[in-house]
Amino acid sequence: MSDFGDYLKACQKRIDTHLDQQFCNSHPGLERLYAAIRYSVTGGGKRVRPLLAYASCEALGGTDKPVDVVAGAVELIHAYSLIHDDLPAMDDDNLRRGRPTCHRAFDEATAILAGDALQALAFEWISCEGSWQAETRLRMTTLLARAAGPQGMVGGQAIDLASVGAQLDQNALEDMHQHKTGALIHASVRLGALATERADDDQLAALEEYARCIGLAFQVQDDIIDIESDTSVSGKQQGADHARGKPTYPAMLGLDGAHALARSLCDQAISTLEPFGSPAERLRQVARYIVERRF
Amino acid sequence: MSDFGDYLKACQKRIDTHLDQQFCNSHPGLERLYAAIRYSVTGGGKRVRPLLAYASCEALGGTDKPVDVVAGAVELIHAYSLIHDDLPAMDDDNLRRGRPTCHRAFDEATAILAGDALQALAFEWISCEGSWQAETRLRMTTLLARAAGPQGMVGGQAIDLASVGAQLDQNALEDMHQHKTGALIHASVRLGALATERADDDQLAALEEYARCIGLAFQVQDDIIDIESDTSVSGKQQGADHARGKPTYPAMLGLDGAHALARSLCDQAISTLEPFGSPAERLRQVARYIVERRF
């Protein structure tokens, strides 16, 4: 098994190549919209969600060829959420991945539409691409819709907005993040498994617990990075969440407490993978990567 | 066959009742998001798209029970598009259906999220509700995604933005509207037909032509209403499109020319329905309604 750094790069290259082949459209009047879509989707990023889909598929011994479709679809949902979250009426961010945010590089109206378009495209891809049985594709489509919608990611953003300046306890903070980032991370893991068309209920339940732990660990680590990493490393404005009065794990538990929680969640995630044996090694490495990354 | 006015009211009541049963959620932090969703979806409206789905289903002799799901899904996509179109960065409208627009009644961030949530919910509904075969549901999901996305409705909005203040010829104007409103109107007709699980290719092709004509007629009539109806009737600011420098049919063809085009498109739509016989009577009435309405 090759070094995880190489695997990470290979996965990133793979999804980047896949995404780079999309969004070709020269219809009159749509040039700016497609430019904004390409700008937002092909502008790098860690590609954690595609990585999870690939690694989850591998854990079940699945061929990973058609997983590009689901990896791409979750990345589109993620990309759309970043565009909308960055808008002036939301987080009002100027910088994303070290470049101007979509509404800064283009304009607000185009950014709103690019996000809207990406959400629709994600459902188009997942409902009609690939060679799965109809039942599998439907299940994947519904899963992605729930993860993206008000009971998932969008709901998390709404809870986040409602909680600015509020005192949240740790349960409420966890609830917010399980919606905001956890739902789509969970969907990525589950979609990778469903794509093999051989996951049983026990395996899906174990992966659900794995996803719950790393989803939360991901957010804890994001909060830590917001404090510890400067802008040149993270590509985001340092301390932006903190300055906005958003509740964070370091604010609640202290920096050491937050680090300890991230490590504990990582260990918990890895322990759920025991029944999968060595094919789940990539998922274990991803769990470690999530709490060790600096951006 | 009862009076069309009664049929219209019955369809509106039916979809209103269906929609009114949704969006129940009392999760902490999601109250405002769900309130904005309910406000936007259950606040009246002509329900043209659900009406088309019901009437199209009837034209194929289908039981119309499960059509509520597809009628509801297209209405959610429509509702989300109105919320986002009304935003300050887009059309900056204060009034919709005689009430404050979503971002005015709530706030911009909530309006953006409510639109995003509605799009996801539409795909959740259409991919998992109802009792259709998996292949049918997948086909419906893909159809809705294409109609909503950059090759459909969102693309139309982008073309519209790109064309403000520009000189469009009639073909370019038609192209914009076939994206902006035509795609979802077409999807409504086709979804109603697919919901019967008995539409053949010839029938779908005829309905496609019907939808193309009434989709365009709908927009021509909207442009006419923008000029002729005052705010108290239309629920929108009179002359708003005109004032914005948006290209309109009356501006291009004159008011008489626009009326003539709407009537001609209506006749064309009705003529494509000939092979369906009397079961398509509701679709014929809808075509006439579209070009005769005053709001």
Side-chain angles (χ1 to χ4, degrees):
Chain A
M1 183 150 308
S2 74
D3 174 66
F4 179 70
D6 292 341
Y7 178 72
L8 178 60
K9 273 188 207 135
C11 287
Q12 286 167 339
K13 187 171 178 189
R14 180 174 164 184
I15 188 68
D16 286 350
T17 303
H18 176 74
L19 293 172
D20 201 48
Q21 289 161 351
Q22 318 296 327
F23 321 116
C24 300
N25 191 296
S26 56
H27 193 91
L30 291 180
E31 301 84 354
R32 192 170 174 83
L33 176 66
Y34 273 90
I37 288 174
R38 286 191 69 85
Y39 177 85
S40 303
V41 173
T42 63
K46 296 179 290 291
R47 310 298 192 194
V48 169
R49 290 154 195 81
L51 180 67
L52 283 166
Y54 293 138
S56 176
C57 180
E58 199 174 316
L60 286 164
T63 162
D64 51 3
K65 184 73 186 80
V67 189
D68 289 339
V69 173
V70 298
V74 289
E75 192 65 12
L76 293 201
I77 295 287
H78 177 56
Y80 118 66
S81 77
L82 297 183
I83 298 173
H84 283 191
D85 286 1
D86 287 338
L87 286 167
M90 306 276 280
D91 287 350
D92 194 16
D93 271 317
N94 297 320
L95 210 55
R96 164 77 60 188
R97 296 169 182 164
R99 302 187 309 162
T101 46
C102 185
H103 67 278
R104 285 280 168 194
F106 295 84
D107 55 82
E108 266 190 73
T110 301
I112 293 167
L113 293 178
D116 290 345
L118 283 169
Q119 177 162 207
L121 283 172
F123 290 110
E124 183 183 334
W125 288 8
I126 206 161
S127 69
C128 80
E129 307 271 336
S131 52
W132 296 284
Q133 296 170 37
E135 287 291 357
T136 303
R137 271 193 286 167
L138 266 183
R139 206 172 160 189
M140 297 196 301
T141 305
T142 305
L143 175 70
L144 187 63
R146 287 207 178 117
Q151 291 177 66
M153 189 187 72
V154 171
Q157 188 64 14
I159 298 171
D160 193 10
L161 281 173
S163 69
V164 171
Q167 287 291 336
L168 293 191
D169 63 23
Q170 194 170 339
N171 284 340
L173 190 58
E174 176 170 338
D175 178 68
M176 174 180 87
H177 291 309
Q178 289 298 6
H179 282 79
K180 194 176 168 188
T181 41
L184 202 55
I185 282 179
H186 175 226
S188 307
V189 172
R190 198 173 176 105
L191 286 170
L194 289 176
T196 66
E197 297 193 307
R198 67 173 79 152
D200 66 34
D201 287 347
D202 287 347
Q203 289 172 319
L204 288 172
L207 289 175
E208 183 164 341
E209 177 60 10
Y210 165 85
R212 192 192 67 76
C213 295
I214 61 152
L216 198 52
F218 185 87
Q219 190 56 52
V220 176
Q221 188 64 19
D222 248 19
D223 285 355
I224 292 169
I225 290 167
D226 183 62
I227 290 176
E228 288 187 345
S229 292
D230 69 21
T231 304
S232 67
V233 176
S234 72
K236 294 189 269 195
Q237 282 152 308
Q238 187 181 11
D241 289 343
H242 184 73
R244 237 174 242 133
K246 289 198 172 189
T248 67
Y249 282 97
M252 183 170 287
L253 307 173
L255 204 47
D256 288 347
H259 276 296
L261 177 60
R263 277 192 303 272
S264 149
L265 286 164
C266 172
D267 292 344
Q268 219 175 316
I270 289 170
S271 76
T272 68
L273 297 175
E274 225 235 294
F276 294 88
S278 64
E281 190 51 27
R282 293 304 188 193
L283 280 179
R284 294 184 192 95
Q285 292 174 329
V286 175
R288 286 184 208 105
Y289 161 69
I290 279 175
V291 299
E292 285 165 9
R293 75 203 156 88
R294 310 305 303 152
F295 61 92
Chain B
M1 182 149 309
S2 73
D3 174 65
F4 180 69
D6 291 343
Y7 178 72
L8 179 61
K9 273 189 206 135
C11 287
Q12 286 167 340
K13 186 169 179 190
R14 181 175 163 184
I15 189 67
D16 286 350
T17 303
H18 176 74
L19 292 171
D20 201 49
Q21 289 160 353
Q22 319 296 327
F23 320 115
C24 300
N25 191 296
S26 56
H27 193 92
L30 292 181
E31 301 84 355
R32 192 171 174 83
L33 176 67
Y34 273 90
I37 288 173
R38 285 191 70 85
Y39 177 85
S40 303
V41 173
T42 64
K46 295 178 292 290
R47 310 300 193 194
V48 169
R49 291 153 193 82
L51 180 68
L52 283 166
Y54 293 139
S56 175
C57 180
E58 199 174 315
L60 287 164
T63 162
D64 51 3
K65 184 75 189 79
V67 189
D68 288 339
V69 173
V70 299
V74 288
E75 192 64 12
L76 294 201
I77 294 288
H78 177 57
Y80 118 68
S81 77
L82 297 183
I83 298 173
H84 282 191
D85 286 1
D86 287 338
L87 286 167
M90 306 275 282
D91 287 350
D92 194 17
D93 271 317
N94 297 321
L95 210 54
R96 164 76 62 188
R97 296 170 182 163
R99 302 187 309 161
T101 47
C102 185
H103 67 277
R104 285 281 169 191
F106 294 86
D107 56 81
E108 265 189 74
T110 301
I112 293 166
L113 293 177
D116 291 345
L118 283 169
Q119 178 162 205
L121 282 173
F123 291 110
E124 183 182 334
W125 288 8
I126 206 162
S127 69
C128 82
E129 305 273 336
S131 52
W132 296 284
Q133 294 170 40
E135 287 290 356
T136 303
R137 270 193 287 166
L138 266 184
R139 206 171 159 190
M140 297 195 300
T141 305
T142 305
L143 174 70
L144 187 64
R146 287 206 178 118
Q151 291 177 64
M153 189 186 72
V154 172
Q157 187 65 15
I159 297 171
D160 192 11
L161 282 173
S163 68
V164 171
Q167 287 291 337
L168 293 191
D169 63 23
Q170 195 171 339
N171 284 340
L173 189 59
E174 176 169 339
D175 178 68
M176 173 180 88
H177 290 310
Q178 288 299 5
H179 281 80
K180 194 176 167 187
T181 40
L184 202 56
I185 281 179
H186 175 224
S188 307
V189 173
R190 199 175 176 104
L191 287 169
L194 288 176
T196 66
E197 297 194 308
R198 66 173 79 152
D200 66 34
D201 287 348
D202 286 346
Q203 290 172 318
L204 289 173
L207 289 174
E208 184 164 340
E209 177 60 9
Y210 166 84
R212 191 192 69 75
C213 295
I214 60 152
L216 198 52
F218 184 88
Q219 190 55 53
V220 176
Q221 187 64 20
D222 249 19
D223 286 355
I224 293 170
I225 291 167
D226 184 61
I227 290 177
E228 290 188 344
S229 292
D230 70 19
T231 305
S232 67
V233 176
S234 72
K236 293 190 268 196
Q237 282 150 307
Q238 187 181 10
D241 289 345
H242 184 74
R244 238 173 242 134
K246 290 199 173 188
T248 68
Y249 283 96
M252 182 169 288
L253 307 172
L255 203 47
D256 287 348
H259 275 296
L261 177 59
R263 277 193 305 270
S264 150
L265 286 164
C266 171
D267 293 344
Q268 218 176 317
I270 288 173
S271 76
T272 66
L273 297 175
E274 223 234 297
F276 295 88
S278 64
E281 190 50 28
R282 292 306 188 192
L283 280 179
R284 293 184 192 95
Q285 292 174 329
V286 175
R288 287 183 208 107
Y289 162 69
I290 279 175
V291 300
E292 285 165 9
R293 73 203 157 89
R294 310 306 303 154
F295 61 92

